[in-house]
Amino acid sequence: PASRETAPWTGRSTDDGRRTKEGAPVTPDFTGRQGYLRPAPEGVDAYWAWQRPGGSGRGVTVIDVEGAWQLGHEDLASKLAGVVVGTPHTDLAWRNHGTAVIGVIGGDRDGHGITGIVPDAVTAAASVQGIGTAAAIHAAAERLSPGDIILVELHAPGPRFDFEERDSQAGYIPLEWWPDDFAAVQDATARGVLVVAAAGNGAESLDDALYERRPAEFPEWWRNPFNPSNPSSGAILVGAGAPPPGTHGRDHGPDRSRLAFSNHGARVDAQGWGREVTTTGGFWDRPGDLQGGAEEIAWYTDTFSGTSSASPVVVGALAALQGMLKAAGQAPMSPERARVLLRATGSPQQDAPGRPASQRIGSRPDIKAAVARLLPEAVGSGQAERYWDELLPYPRELPPRLRLYVSGAWRSLDDPSPEIRRAVHSAFAGGRPDVRVWFADEEIVGLVVTG
């Protein structure tokens, strides 16, 4: 078993200033390429979260458990606390991977490069090298408070191909199947720390009877954690879904459909973008494909992928929600409440040819929909008294809006569907409209028309 030795927190001081690229041009703003930041169903609606107290992740810490990171990256300077345990690998592919993950969560909001889903969250790193996965998870949990998040960015070769390492990653499964990792995750979730883990890129059904068979070296108490009727680790497992067709000019199948490599099954809780994720770092073991050059601290990629890119998208959404709860003076979500919320809200998984939604990877998180459930007092409601339909908005860059006058103010719904428009028009045409509206500030978040 891996040793449980821990190392002291080796965070960099926050006053060491941003490292600059010698003689290199300033990095452009790539935020427009990050579709996962946009409103649902395309993204998790980070833009909406940033306008809410705590929604940019303030007061939340995330520790990424994996192999290596480029800690000096120009776009990770303001909130990256460094390596808390383990010795990072020197391998460039590992470093690009970790840098990409941290960027999705906590990239700086500074007008150049990318912006993380929760730019005000504190991020830190825990390396498995030298101590093993279970010890790294355990050490990360000891440094966090209830409501903080551990991200496990690892999977491992499972029993499908006799635990054999394969370049294709076929048969790779989540770490929680192994008893030492299961125990470490269970310890973390028992402390109130959310653990989010990649479901793995093995193209496996985690519901397969293969995973019920206990290897001889596993302890007697072990039960298959992928079977929902057995004790759970408490982790949130994340599958990889397709981004909207046309993202970066490519098509990976219907939006939110399971990507062919993603593991799936009843145990998988939620999905994130599994392709076309724009973030910090290079491409695999090479310089960035969006921005390369001699300086590794200024690399960016447009093509981060896998359950590796999906998992930090879910972490970002959860950190935004925890930050909002904190700002509202509420207790953070427990691991169980977070899992229930992800299953109850979000943009649902879609069918793809040969990959039906019954091959479960879950929904893509929708921060706004989750807030309506978590903080109902943040959402007002009332009867609409009149309406205003901007069929052709001016200036043209504005989205078409349906505006309803509710509780003494106009509230807006951007890009209403033709069905919603028709229902509201008909209700008011009848002379006694019964249009009930739920709103957050000036924005309509729910609408019921009774006929």
Side-chain angles (χ1 to χ4, degrees), residues 10 62 72 88 124 137 188 192 195 200 216 220 234 245 284 293 296 304 315 323 339 342 353 358 395:
T10 55
V62 179
I137 293 165
V195 178
E220 285 286 333
W284 193 239
E296 193 185 318
F304 189 40
V315 166
R339 278 180 73 187
L342 288 172
S358 56

Side-chain angles (χ1 to χ4, degrees), residues 347-416:
S347 306
Q349 181 180 348
Q350 310 265 55
D351 291 319
R355 300 191 300 281
S358 56
Q359 297 178 344
R360 180 185 166 84
I361 57 169
S363 298
R364 178 181 295 156
D366 175 353
I367 293 170
K368 192 196 294 185
V371 167
R373 187 171 286 246
L374 275 180
L375 287 167
E377 64 278 11
V379 177
S381 68
Q383 292 286 126
E385 297 169 44
R386 43 190 197 278
Y387 78 98
W388 172 280
D389 197 352
E390 296 177 358
L391 295 167
L392 190 62
Y394 186 83
R396 291 211 176 103
E397 297 75 58
L398 292 174
R401 290 185 304 178
L402 176 64
R403 309 191 73 199
L404 293 162
Y405 193 79
V406 188
S407 301
W410 286 101
R411 323 285 176 178
S412 296
L413 178 66
D414 288 352
D415 291 312

Side-chain angles (χ1 to χ4, degrees), residues 132-226:
T133 52
I137 293 165
H138 189 71
E142 288 188 319
R143 286 162 170 77
L144 294 173
S145 304
D148 288 335
I149 306 173
I150 292 171
L151 171 55
V152 181
E153 275 284 327
L154 302 155
H155 58 183
R160 172 74 61 205
F161 300 108
D162 204 21
F163 307 99
E164 191 180 271
E165 290 195 13
R166 305 163 75 85
D167 287 344
S168 69
Q169 303 183 347
Y172 280 46
I173 57 173
L175 291 189
E176 67 169 39
W177 195 74
W178 284 267
D180 58 339
D181 292 306
F182 179 88
V185 171
Q186 207 173 44
D187 170 68
T189 55
R191 295 168 184 256
V193 173
L194 273 54
V195 178
V196 176
N201 301 339
E204 285 287 300
S205 167
L206 302 182
D207 299 332
D208 197 296
L210 170 69
Y211 299 111
E212 296 288 341
R213 293 205 283 274
R214 178 173 65 86
E217 66 273 19
F218 280 17
E220 285 286 333
W221 58 259
W222 180 86
R223 297 288 179 276
N224 171 23
F226 304 154

Side-chain angles (χ1 to χ4, degrees), residues 259-286:
L259 291 165
F261 60 78
S262 179
N263 290 340
H264 55 93
R267 174 67 186 89
V268 184
D269 296 296
Q271 63 164 297
W273 279 34
R275 294 273 189 212
E276 308 300 336
V277 169
T278 301
T279 182
T280 41
F283 171 71
W284 193 239
D285 58 356
R286 300 192 282 287

